[in-house]
Amino acid sequence: MTSWRDVESAVPEFAARVRTLFDAHRHKTIATVRADGAPRISGIESAFDDGELTFGSMPAARKGADLRRDPRFALHSATVDPAEGQEAQWPGEAKIAGRAVVSGEITEGPGGDLFRADITEVVHTHLDPGATLLVVEWWTPGQGLQRRERE
């Protein structure tokens, strides 16, 4: 089981950049697997809470049913377009993939299931300082931090 705390311990600067992107906006997008194997995209809120990445699902929501049946997920930060002429200031986008672990019930609001993430991959996609290359950095528990640049 790999928690957010583990990512922060392994690659603190990278984790801080990813967390900043996730914390910048309230709403994110999660991909789950439907019963027929097709992907499902849903809006979701998430939180970094005491070293864990957590998110919830309202009662009877399809994404919660998806995660209870097949815990694989991919979570995507909100994405903003780079300002024309200021592409080098674009913060990029972040993704976290893994398996959702049911960790209790949500007791506030409408209720539902609370999940914590068993993280298998963290990605930050951004531009190089000259805004001439796309930079993809990713971390996995087994391979550590890796980086690719593309024109």
Side-chain angles (χ1 to χ4, degrees):
M1 172 91 180
T2 302
S3 69
W4 182 251
R5 180 181 297 108
D6 298 327
V7 178
E8 290 177 315
S9 293
V11 283
E13 187 274 333
F14 175 75
R17 284 188 279 130
V18 168
R19 182 169 177 169
T20 296
L21 289 167
F22 272 97
D23 287 344
H25 300 278
R26 182 176 181 179
H27 297 106
K28 288 81 173 167
T29 305
I30 192 168
T32 59
V33 181
R34 296 174 187 248
D36 66 0
R40 182 189 313 274
I41 300 292
S42 305
I44 197 164
E45 296 175 20
S46 63
F48 295 94
D49 185 28
D50 195 28
E52 298 284 350
L53 170 61
T54 62
F55 44 88
S57 177
M58 295 172 62
R62 299 309 322 146
K63 67 185 156 202
D66 289 347
L67 292 170
R68 285 189 301 279
R69 185 189 60 264
D70 183 334
R72 293 175 295 169
F73 75 90
L75 186 66
H76 193 280
S77 68
T79 302
V80 296
D81 291 333
E84 191 169 329
Q86 299 179 353
E87 289 83 358
Q89 281 74 49
W90 179 58
E93 61 184 24
K95 302 171 204 102
I96 299 173
R99 290 178 176 72
V101 178
V102 178
S103 62
E105 292 184 20
I106 298 172
T107 57
E108 299 174 9
D113 292 321
L114 180 65
F115 296 91
R116 61 185 166 81
D118 176 8
I119 298 170
T120 58
E121 182 180 55
V122 181
V123 180
H124 181 206
T125 304
H126 56 97
L127 298 175
D128 73 325
T132 59
L133 298 173
L134 181 68
V135 179
V136 181
E137 295 176 280
W138 70 98
W139 178 89
T140 64
Q143 299 293 315
L145 187 61
Q146 298 180 62
R147 177 185 173 109
R148 293 280 191 293
E149 295 180 350
R150 298 184 190 168
E151 288 188 30

